[in-house]
C-alpha cells in the first residue's frame, strides 16, 4: 500500500458529495452489500461506504480494471462484518454465513440456539440437507458468523 503525503495535494475548498457521487455510491453499495444486511444495518453502513467510495473517486483510485467482476460474498463479510456484527442482533431462526475454523462447513446456516454466559455468546447452527434441517456447528463464536439479510 502506498502512503500519500496529503500536505502536497493542491489546496481547494472542501465540497460535499455531488448528486452524481451519491447516485454512483448508492448503486455500488446496493450491488455489493445491501443484499447481505438487514435494512436497519444497511442504512447505518451506507454513509460509511459512501465516504470511502467518494474518497476513492476523488483521490483517483477507482479505475475500471475489474469492472463487471463481482466480489465474493465472503469479502463482504470481511469488509463490513465486524461493524455489521456489532450493529445487528442475531436471533434463533436467522440465516448466517459461517466462516470459522471448520472450513468444510463454510457457507449458509440457520441459527438454531444461542448460549450466553457472562463473558461469551455461542451460536449453534444447522443447515439444510436433503430438505431437512440438521445440526452442523456447535459453539460458534460471533466472529465466525455474519448475518445474512
Amino acid at each position: 500500500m502506498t502512503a500519500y503525503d496529503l500536505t502536497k495535494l493542491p489546496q481547494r475548498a472542501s465540497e460535499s458529495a455531488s448528486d452524481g457521487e451519491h447516485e454512483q455510491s448508492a448503486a455500488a453499495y446496493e450491488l455489493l452489500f445491501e443484499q447481505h444486511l438487514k435494512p436497519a444495518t444497511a442504512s447505518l453502513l451506507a454513509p460509511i461506504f459512501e465516504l470511502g467510495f467518494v474518497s476513492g473517486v476523488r483521490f483517483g483510485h477507482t479505475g475500471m480494471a475489474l469492472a463487471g467482476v463481482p466480489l465474493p460474498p465472503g469479502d463482504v463479510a470481511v469488509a463490513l462484518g465486524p461493524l455489521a456484527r456489532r450493529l445487528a442482533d442475531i436471533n434463533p431462526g436467522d440465516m448466517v454465513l459461517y466462516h470459522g475454523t471448520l472450513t468444510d462447513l463454510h457457507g449458509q446456516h440457520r441459527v438454531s440456539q444461542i448460549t450466553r454466559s457472562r463473558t461469551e455468546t455461542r451460536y449453534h447452527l444447522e443447515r439444510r440437507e436433503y430438505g431437512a434441517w440438521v445440526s452442523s456447528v456447535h459453539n460458534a463464536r460471533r466472529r465466525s458468523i455474519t448475518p445474512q439479510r
Side-chain angles (χ1 to χ4, degrees):
M1 183 183 247
T2 306
Y4 296 94
D5 184 357
L6 298 178
T7 61
K8 294 183 180 179
L9 293 175
Q11 298 301 315
R12 285 190 57 185
S14 63
E15 294 179 27
S16 295
S18 68
D19 289 342
E21 288 169 328
H22 281 298
E23 289 174 16
Q24 291 173 359
S25 173
Y29 184 79
E30 183 177 329
L31 179 69
L32 296 174
F33 303 109
E34 200 167 68
Q35 63 197 8
H36 302 288
L37 303 169
K38 278 186 176 177
T41 303
S43 67
L44 289 171
L45 294 176
I48 297 167
F49 176 83
E50 182 176 287
L51 180 65
F53 184 88
V54 172
S55 295
V57 169
R58 290 186 179 183
F59 282 100
H61 294 286
T62 56
M64 297 296 289
L66 293 174
V69 179
L71 286 170
D75 287 2
V76 174
V78 170
L80 294 181
L83 184 55
R85 283 193 296 270
R86 289 181 185 255
L87 296 172
D89 291 327
I90 295 179
N91 299 300
D94 285 354
M95 298 302 292
V96 296
L97 276 178
Y98 173 73
H99 44 82
T101 57
L102 303 171
T103 57
D104 57 325
L105 293 174
H106 281 188
Q108 189 176 40
H109 295 262
R110 180 173 76 176
V111 177
S112 61
Q113 182 182 355
I114 300 172
T115 306
R116 291 183 173 90
S117 70
R118 282 182 348 127
T119 59
E120 194 169 46
T121 300
R122 296 293 183 121
Y123 299 86
H124 302 278
L125 310 177
E126 56 189 11
R127 67 179 178 179
R128 201 160 186 86
E129 291 184 12
Y130 304 107
W133 290 101
V134 296
S135 182
S136 55
V137 180
H138 298 282
N139 295 318
R141 290 186 168 95
R142 184 66 176 88
R143 67 177 176 257
S144 299
I145 60 174
T146 301
Q148 283 201 297
R149 314 294 182 202

